[in-house]
Amino acid sequence: MTQTADNTPTSSGKQMLSEQVYAHLRDAIMRGDFSPRDALKPQDLAKQQGVSLAVVREALVRLVGEGLADRLPNRGFAVPASSDRRWHEIAEARRTVEPVVLRMSIERGDLDWEARVRAAHHRLARTPPYLPEEGEYYTGAWAEAHRAFHRTLLEGCGNPVLLETCDRLWTVSELARRWSSHRNPDRDGLREHRRLEEAALARDADGAAEMLVQHLTLTAAGLNGS
């Protein structure tokens, strides 16, 4: 990854470099290449990626906005801490917001939304959550299928601001899952997701919202070890 020959990339070139550095760091954090509280030093990252400090800082600011990095008082950056209190707060926020959005989605979703929910659930149910070569953590394919299923359930609400909020909460929850997913290996996630799909497609807003709360509560219990 390099800049232009005169070391002064154009605005569009700088934006492209920032996007590449952002994607690289985001993937590395989500893969668990960094541990909680690890420093994200702009100077070191700029040297590693062969880009300017400005490009790296722009990428880091985006990660802060997504909850995947913290901005420290001395203007440095670090991977978020993994305290149980933090994940409890994230889980509480999801349990507060997502059931409301799911109700709206069930009330407003059309036939195309129903088809997308069914397809997303089918993909999730048929994707292995673990593979020997990927160790004790969920596979990347399963994680994406899982995200897509939950996102599709909520998309019928038709409110992009609410969906952006849910996306951010999902991202930071996935980081917690990456660090802690091995704590609850016996959970019957297949059944939970199937019941969510069935309730949503039956237009049972009350039942679906209650199931989602239970689903998120079990996730929180697995992440904090309770």
Side-chain angles (χ1 to χ4, degrees):
M1 188 181 301
T2 58
Q3 297 178 8
T4 57
D6 63 359
N7 205 37
T8 55
T10 64
S11 178
S12 60
K14 178 181 174 183
Q15 185 175 2
M16 185 187 311
L17 287 172
S18 178
E19 181 68 30
Q20 292 172 348
V21 173
Y22 157 78
H24 172 80
L25 289 175
R26 190 183 192 280
D27 289 347
I29 292 170
M30 294 300 290
R31 280 196 310 267
D33 293 353
F34 295 96
S35 298
R37 299 182 187 276
D38 273 359
L40 299 169
K41 299 179 180 178
Q43 295 89 342
D44 293 346
L45 294 172
K47 184 176 180 180
Q48 292 167 11
Q49 298 299 311
V51 298
S52 69
L53 275 175
V55 166
V56 171
R57 287 188 178 278
E58 185 175 318
L60 288 169
V61 168
R62 285 187 63 184
L63 292 170
V64 170
E66 289 192 357
L68 293 179
D70 288 337
R71 194 160 197 168
L72 306 177
N74 61 358
R75 301 182 65 81
F77 299 86
V79 176
S82 63
S83 69
D84 286 348
R85 177 178 179 181
R86 175 184 175 86
W87 307 132
H88 171 77
E89 291 170 347
I90 293 167
E92 183 178 57
R94 290 189 66 188
R95 287 196 301 267
T96 300
V97 174
E98 290 186 27
V100 175
V101 179
L102 179 57
R103 285 178 178 275
M104 294 171 61
S105 194
I106 290 171
E107 292 169 1
R108 299 176 180 179
D110 57 14
L111 185 60
D112 286 340
W113 169 76
E114 290 185 7
R116 293 196 305 273
V117 169
R118 189 174 297 278
H121 178 262
H122 180 76
R123 178 185 173 196
L124 175 60
R126 296 300 180 90
T127 303
Y130 298 101
L131 290 174
E133 61 268 26
E134 296 203 25
E136 64 183 329
Y137 298 109
Y138 290 117
T139 67
W142 185 90
E144 173 55 25
H146 188 223
R147 183 203 66 79
F149 172 67
H150 277 272
R151 182 56 150 76
T152 305
L153 280 174
L154 304 178
E155 284 176 355
C157 77
N159 186 319
V161 176
L162 286 172
L163 289 173
E164 287 171 9
T165 299
C166 292
D167 286 344
R168 187 180 189 281
L169 290 172
W170 178 271
T171 298
V172 291
S173 291
E174 281 299 285
L175 181 58
R177 187 192 303 281
R178 185 62 183 175
W179 289 331
S180 310
S181 62
H182 58 284
R183 294 186 185 178
N184 194 7
D186 299 323
R187 182 177 172 189
D188 191 355
L190 279 172
R191 179 173 180 271
E192 292 175 36
H193 292 130
R194 184 176 64 252
R195 292 182 65 205
L196 272 171
E197 180 213 21
E198 291 171 349
L201 295 182
R203 303 289 176 160
D204 179 4
D206 290 340
E210 182 179 351
M211 289 174 200
L212 183 56
V213 169
Q214 294 172 355
H215 183 69
L216 296 175
T217 299
L218 287 172
T219 296
L223 294 180
N224 63 28
S226 60

